[in-house]
């Protein structure tokens, strides 16, 4: 298979025959591994499709994918790939059964798979089988009703697979756009990891940090160059003092940059004096203050920033201050907008800056 053929197959190329199962790229996204990993398992261990369709492209049936899911389950527990492959092939159904014999199961029963990441096996029948709506990740990591990409990203994060995680995050952003990818793919996965960490006695902390770091990297790689400032057109983004959760602000910064809006990002736990100085120096149209915890959300700080003025006498301006993040719940500041999601915050800031 040539390089161009592999690229087309990994993208689910349009020239591939319809009705024959999943492409290598689709299988890789479903499993949360890189397409090169799927091809390596095929070439090195014989875990490829049982049959090839006509033409250049390889198509994976539910039975083929079930073997790869089993392979992922075993390697995720630390079993070396070669040993895991021997186990998977040893459990595989013989290709031909004696006449009159009862049909053997097409793959190991779900109970034999110790990976709670896997969903129910896709039944043979309709082409391009879809995953079940509900899924579990890792050891009881509940994802719930989520997009398919969440499962692959969660698998890659739990395996601490940097290459696969970067590829899956970038693919989700490219396919859905930044706002939808964050709201429907990335955030549900981060929330599931966070819930598992909170309920498991400090386990999975490394997974949460690993996933957050790679999300941050994907946002920076995908963001366009910073837009040039215009008078009174900048948006200042900062976490309130004592608040270090910067990732939601990084997403907002990337979404604004995607729309050509100038942004000044100051990151986590910006001291009060530094925030005031930054606002005076930049003269922004808007200031977004992120608070993850109610203990850090400060009404007096938000009111103080909202009252700041700059400009020549007779044409003084004030910033529109947005209080964003769960820490502001129940701590609404009268007269200050409080968008509840990324899309709402982006739309509001676009309106403010364009005045």
């Amino acid at each position: 298979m040539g390089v161009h053929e592999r690229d087309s197959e990994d993208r689910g190329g349009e020239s591939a025959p319809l009705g024959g199962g999943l492409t290598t790229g689709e299988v890789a996204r479903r499993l949360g591994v890189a397409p090169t990993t799927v091809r390596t398992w095929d070439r090195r261990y014989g875990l490829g499709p049982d049959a090839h369709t006509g033409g250049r492209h390889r198509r994976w049936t539910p039975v083929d994918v079930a073997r790869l899911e089993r392979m992922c389950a075993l390697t995720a527990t630390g079993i070396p790939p070669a040993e895991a492959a021997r186990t998977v092939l040893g459990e595989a159904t013989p290709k031909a059964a004696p006449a009159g014999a009862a049909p053997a199961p097409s793959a190991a029963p779900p109970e034999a798979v110790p990976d709670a990441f896997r969903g129910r096996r896709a039944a043979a029948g309709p082409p391009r089988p879809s995953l079940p709506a509900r899924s579990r990740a890792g050891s009881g990591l509940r994802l719930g009703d989520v997009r398919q990409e969440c499962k692959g990203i969660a698998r890659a994060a739990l395996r601490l697979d940097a290459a696969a995680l970067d590829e899956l995050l970038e693919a989700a952003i490219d396919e859905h756009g930044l706002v939808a990818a964050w709201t429907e793919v990335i955030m549900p996965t981060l929330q599931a990891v966070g819930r598992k960490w909170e309920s498991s006695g400090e386990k999975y902390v490394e997974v949460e940090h690993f996933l957050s770091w790679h999300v941050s990297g994907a946002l920076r790689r995908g963001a366009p160059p910073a837009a040039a400032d215009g008078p009174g057109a900048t948006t200042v983004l900062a976490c309130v003092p004592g608040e270090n959760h910067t990732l939601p602000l990084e997403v907002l910064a990337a979404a604004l940059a995607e729309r050509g809006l100038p942004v000044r990002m100051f990151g986590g736990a910006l001291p009060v004096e530094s925030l005031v100085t930054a606002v005076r120096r930049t003269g922004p149209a808007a200031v977004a203050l992120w608070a993850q915890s109610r203990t850090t959300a400060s009404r007096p700080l938000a009111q103080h920033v909202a009252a700041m003025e700059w400009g020549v006498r007779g044409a003084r301006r004030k910033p529109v201050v947005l209080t964003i993040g769960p820490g502001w719940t129940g701590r609404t500041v009268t007269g200050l907008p409080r968008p509840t999601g990324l899309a709402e915050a982006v739309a509001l800031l676009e309106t403010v800056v364009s005045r």
Side-chain angles (χ1 to χ4, degrees), residues 71 163 311 344:
M71 181 73 171
E344 185 181 345

Side-chain angles (χ1 to χ4, degrees), residues 30 37-38 66 80 98 105-106 110 124 134 182 213 226 229 249 252 277 292 305 328 353-354:
R30 170 175 177 166
T37 299
V38 176
S106 60
R134 299 191 64 82
W182 169 258
W213 173 259
D229 284 343
L249 277 189
L252 179 55
T277 300
Q292 179 78 16
V305 174
W328 295 102
V353 171
S354 64

Side-chain angles (χ1 to χ4, degrees), residues 140-166:
L141 181 58
R142 296 180 180 273
L143 282 167
D145 296 319
V146 294
R147 282 186 181 269
Q148 174 60 48
E149 294 94 324
C150 296
K151 300 166 188 177
I153 289 171
R155 284 189 178 103
L158 284 168
R159 290 198 315 274
L160 306 183
D161 187 335
L165 187 54
D166 282 344

Side-chain angles (χ1 to χ4, degrees), residues 67-201:
R67 283 198 297 269
L68 294 182
E69 287 180 328
R70 176 68 165 144
M71 181 73 171
C72 285
L74 293 173
T75 56
T77 65
I79 297 176
E83 183 180 340
R86 284 193 295 271
T87 300
V88 171
L89 292 173
E91 296 171 347
T93 305
K95 289 184 171 50
S106 60
E111 292 75 16
V113 183
D115 181 14
F117 240 126
R118 55 146 179 83
R120 300 182 298 274
R121 298 291 188 223
R128 294 177 176 270
S130 60
L131 281 177
R134 299 191 64 82
S135 173
R136 291 171 180 262
S139 179
L141 181 58
R142 296 180 180 273
L143 282 167
D145 296 319
V146 294
R147 282 186 181 269
Q148 174 60 48
E149 294 94 324
C150 296
K151 300 166 188 177
I153 289 171
R155 284 189 178 103
L158 284 168
R159 290 198 315 274
L160 306 183
D161 187 335
L165 187 54
D166 282 344
E167 183 172 334
L168 292 164
L169 288 168
E170 290 172 16
I173 292 171
D174 289 343
E175 180 174 352
H176 301 297
L178 181 59
V179 173
W182 169 258
T183 303
E184 301 180 29
V185 178
I186 299 171
M187 189 167 62
T189 309
L190 284 164
Q191 289 172 336
V193 173
R195 287 193 300 269
K196 186 62 181 176
W197 166 47
E198 291 174 353
S199 64
S200 61

